[in-house]
Amino acid sequence: LAQLYKEKDPLYGGYRGGPAYYIHAYVEEKQKKKRNKVVISVLFAISGLICWCGISHVISNSVVSSFKNAFSIPPIYTTVVLVAVAAVIVLRKDATVKILDMVVPVMAVCYFAITILIIVMNIGSIPGVFARIFQEAFGFRQVAAGGFGAVLMNGIKRGLFSNESGMGSAPIAAAAAQTRNPVRQALVSSTGTFWDTVVVCLMTGLVLVTSIMKNPSIDMGNITDGGVLTTLAFQQIPGLGPVILVVGIISFAYSTVLGWAYYGERCVEYFSGKKGLIPYRVLYIAVAAIAPVISLNLVWTVADILNALMAIPNLIAVLLLSNVIIKETQKYINDLDARDDTPVEVIDK
């Protein structure tokens, strides 16, 4: 949908799009007249703007927590650096994108390698890990006490935060992509759910639980801060482990905050044009300063609420435009079936 209803981007060049734009196009098509603004598009744009500023709280909080746990660096110092980094992100995007193109792939490989190494070190705990996961999720006590519902709800909330499926952020990025076919881009974008949640989060989860089960003397089970748990798990590889973790968190957080800054600007552009960009950037920088001093539980609660506010208008739009999605997908599949890519068999005479 983002590819089908994208439009020229006067600010960055190329194209822009996303839920606000394809909702707008849908309403115009139904009413058969041009509209300056559409209410549900404005609702999504405002929700997205608040959401991405709010979710930045989680990122900032995680970075500060990791530095404090790994290197005993006071939060105030990390906060000052975060504010400076946020300023660079919103003011010098071209420079940051070039750096991220080099750093993020390298750190992704390093992080994945470290998690594999820790899992191999704790390989004997793997059967017990899966047994405990299923026991905690589907045990009689959990079902009787309503725990299954809580586990399911937490899984949905954390999964949504991980891969953003249905929220409407991925279409904003997809609209800017250069592709031969909208359905092809949709298929590429859909793989993000697999890599983010099934691969990266599963590997991190296995590292945490195997570490807890292998080291019962460490009272990790009573720690609710995920950053503390992860730091303790990575300390099984002395010296290198905590460093890889912290650098990985920095690069991932940096790229994530950069992406969300871009998403937020696309939302601001929809309902206020260029004049709203400067106030938005100031707000974005301010969030980086406030986030580290706020309670982590409050941060997660705010992020979950904002995610829902954003997902609701987008999911309504996807349902309303489902006939367009089905039509385009079927057309793409038919085009693939019509191609005869079978190699010509050469008969040796």
Side-chain angles (χ1 to χ4, degrees):
L1 292 175
Q3 279 285 326
L4 283 171
Y5 296 101
K6 65 186 179 183
E7 59 182 48
K8 290 284 187 180
D9 186 354
L11 184 61
Y12 291 98
Y15 292 91
R16 67 184 180 188
Y21 295 90
Y22 55 69
I23 293 169
H24 187 108
Y26 171 79
V27 173
E28 285 188 340
E29 287 177 5
K30 283 295 181 182
Q31 296 182 349
K32 294 182 171 55
K33 66 177 182 180
K34 290 290 184 181
R35 295 283 301 271
N36 184 35
K37 293 288 183 294
V38 172
V39 173
I40 194 169
S41 291
V42 173
L43 175 62
F44 172 85
I46 293 174
S47 298
L49 168 63
I50 300 172
C51 178
W52 287 308
C53 279
I55 292 178
S56 295
H57 283 71
V58 177
I59 298 297
S60 300
N61 217 299
S62 297
V63 173
V64 169
S65 175
S66 297
F67 269 85
K68 181 181 178 182
N69 297 325
F71 305 114
S72 300
I73 296 177
I76 184 63
Y77 298 145
T78 312
T79 302
V80 170
V81 174
L82 282 173
V83 172
V85 169
V88 171
I89 286 175
V90 298
L91 298 175
R92 292 292 305 275
K93 287 188 175 59
D94 292 341
T96 56
V97 168
K98 291 176 182 178
I99 294 172
L100 291 172
D101 283 345
M102 296 182 291
V103 173
V104 172
V106 174
M107 285 314 308
V109 172
C110 291
Y111 182 83
F112 190 75
I114 287 289
T115 57
I116 291 292
L117 178 58
I118 295 175
I119 291 171
V120 170
M121 291 169 59
N122 302 333
I123 195 69
S125 304
I126 291 294
V129 164
F130 284 102
R132 180 165 181 178
I133 288 173
F134 279 95
Q135 179 185 355
E136 292 292 333
F138 303 107
F140 177 77
R141 175 176 58 84
Q142 286 75 13
V143 173
F148 176 73
V151 168
L152 183 64
M153 184 57 66
N154 278 322
I156 292 172
K157 290 190 293 186
R158 295 291 75 78
L160 181 62
F161 184 83
S162 165
N163 57 57
E164 304 173 41
S165 296
M167 281 176 54
S169 52
I172 296 176
Q178 300 292 328
T179 183
R180 297 193 299 270
N181 186 285
V183 178
R184 185 174 181 271
Q185 178 58 41
L187 293 171
V188 171
S189 296
S190 69
T191 62
T193 301
F194 174 79
W195 290 111
D196 285 347
T197 304
V198 178
V199 176
V200 176
C201 290
L202 173 63
M203 301 305 291
T204 305
L206 289 176
V207 165
L208 294 181
V209 184
T210 55
S211 299
I212 291 171
M213 295 185 70
K214 186 180 177 182
N215 302 282
S217 59
I218 302 175
D219 192 17
M220 300 171 78
N222 293 324
I223 300 173
T224 57
D225 187 335
V228 177
L229 278 173
T230 310
T231 302
L232 289 173
F234 273 68
Q235 283 175 350
Q236 294 175 81
I237 303 176
L240 183 62
V243 172
I244 289 290
L245 174 64
V246 170
V247 176
I249 287 176
I250 292 171
S251 61
F252 296 149
Y254 196 53
S255 60
T256 302
V257 172
L258 174 63
W260 283 336
Y262 173 80
Y263 295 158
E265 287 195 356
R266 298 290 72 74
C267 290
V268 171
E269 267 193 291
Y270 175 78
F271 65 81
S272 69
K274 291 184 179 181
K275 64 179 181 291
L277 293 179
I278 297 300
Y280 165 75
R281 290 169 180 172
V282 172
L283 173 64
Y284 205 83
I285 295 170
V287 166
I290 298 170
V293 299
I294 297 177
S295 163
L296 189 61
N297 289 333
L298 176 61
V299 166
W300 278 114
T301 301
V302 170
D304 291 334
I305 293 171
L306 293 172
N307 283 346
L309 287 175
M310 202 174 134
I312 290 169
N314 180 57
L315 292 174
I316 292 172
V318 170
L319 286 173
L320 293 174
L321 287 161
S322 58
N323 61 323
V324 177
I325 299 170
I326 293 169
K327 178 183 175 182
E328 290 295 324
T329 305
Q330 192 60 55
K331 179 182 176 183
Y332 180 75
I333 293 171
N334 291 338
D335 288 344
L336 289 178
D337 290 341
R339 298 175 187 173
D340 184 8
D341 295 328
T342 306
V344 177
E345 183 178 356
V346 179
I347 301 175
D348 186 3
K349 297 181 179 179

